[in-house]
Amino acid sequence: MLKRIDRSPLLLRLLAFLSNFLAKQRGLPAVIGVIFIIISLIVQTINVGTDSVLLEYIGILTHHIGVLIAIIGLLLSNPLGK
């Protein structure tokens, strides 16, 4: 099964596209991560007044996704820029 994934032309094109796109815009993942963290701050601030379980879940999820995207973006910015 892994050979099929390794030889997939769709995955090859996707990785080539992402590599070329991120090489031109190295800071984009970090900016997207910061936007997710700001959205999380707003959602969690609203949740203080409403005490909704759904808003709490959305706030925590967007915060963690934002941190992960920002860290991955910062780690990828050096190798893609050189």
Side-chain angles (χ1 to χ4, degrees), residues 43 47 50-61:
V43 169
N47 186 38
T50 61
D51 198 30
S52 168
V53 176
L54 180 63
L55 283 178
E56 184 177 350
Y57 178 73
I58 291 171
I60 291 170
L61 188 67

Side-chain angles (χ1 to χ4, degrees), residues 30-61:
V31 171
I32 291 172
V34 170
I35 290 171
F36 269 98
I37 293 171
I38 291 170
I39 290 170
S40 169
L41 174 69
I42 293 168
V43 169
Q44 289 179 0
T45 303
I46 293 170
N47 186 38
V48 170
T50 61
D51 198 30
S52 168
V53 176
L54 180 63
L55 283 178
E56 184 177 350
Y57 178 73
I58 291 171
I60 291 170
L61 188 67

